[in-house]
Structure formats: C-alpha cells, structure tokens
Amino acid sequence: MVTAVAIARAKPGQEEELGRRMMALITPTLAEPGCINYDLHRSNTDPAVWIFYENWRSQADLDAHMQTEHYKSFFSRANEVLAHVDAYFSSMMLPPGRSYRRC
C-alpha cells in the first residue's frame, strides 16, 4: 500500500474555488482501480489549506491515477487557484507478521 498526502494552499481569494475543484476529483478517483481511499480535508485553522489523504493498493495504481484525464485537467488549470502544493509519499511500516487493518 502507498499513501500520498498532498497539502495545498489556495491563492488569496481562491479558497472556495480550490476546494470546489478538489471536491470534483473525489468521485472519479474513488472509481479508479487500486484506490483504497481519497479523503479531502480542510484545515481548521487556515481556510486556505486543503489536504488530500490517499491510500493506493500499489505505486502502479498511484502512477495510473496521475495519468487520468481528471487529474491532468485539474493540474492544467491549477495555477489559477493554487499558490503551492507539497506532496508526500510513504509506505506503511508494519511489525513482522502483521497486515494492514482498519480499526
């Protein structure tokens, strides 16, 4: 499993529009093979900050997501609303003999 966390900051005055555009990514992304979850969050203290928390079955599935039309379309116009984004990619570390499970 691969986890991606993207922390996006909207340009001033574009906070709601960035959120609207990010929300539009959820439904098509959840339909993609290998998408475990694709959760959008908004900062409780800074309304310009939006966070995607994503889990993918494999790196290949995440790579395929980044080639989808909805992903490429979002980023082709992101400069209109996005000040910057930081993305972090990680793999879950589990003790020997343990497998991933939800609480």
Side-chain angles (χ1 to χ4, degrees), residues 16 21-22 25 28 30 36 44 46 49 60 66 78 95 99-100 103:
E16 300 306 318
R21 292 183 189 191
M22 293 176 85
L25 293 170
L30 288 173
I36 296 169
N44 292 336
D46 186 345
V49 175
M66 291 189 245
S99 62
Y100 173 76
C103 296

Side-chain angles (χ1 to χ4, degrees), residues 66-79:
M66 291 189 245
Q67 296 305 312
T68 61
E69 188 57 38
H70 54 272
Y71 182 92
K72 291 194 277 186
S73 177
F74 174 85
F75 278 101
S76 72
R77 298 180 49 217
N79 64 328

Side-chain angles (χ1 to χ4, degrees), residues 14-82:
Q14 296 298 316
E15 298 85 358
E16 300 306 318
E17 180 61 17
L18 175 60
R20 187 189 68 72
R21 292 183 189 191
M22 293 176 85
M23 292 273 288
L25 293 170
I26 295 172
T27 298
T29 300
L30 288 173
E32 293 176 43
C35 180
I36 296 169
N37 67 289
Y38 195 73
D39 303 327
L40 180 61
H41 300 261
R42 190 174 195 180
S43 170
N44 292 336
T45 57
D46 186 345
V49 175
W50 294 84
I51 303 160
F52 262 125
Y53 174 75
E54 316 167 26
N55 284 296
W56 295 88
R57 182 180 53 201
S58 68
Q59 184 64 50
D61 291 319
L62 176 57
D63 293 343
H65 164 64
M66 291 189 245
Q67 296 305 312
T68 61
E69 188 57 38
H70 54 272
Y71 182 92
K72 291 194 277 186
S73 177
F74 174 85
F75 278 101
S76 72
R77 298 180 49 217
N79 64 328
E80 298 169 357
V81 295
L82 189 61

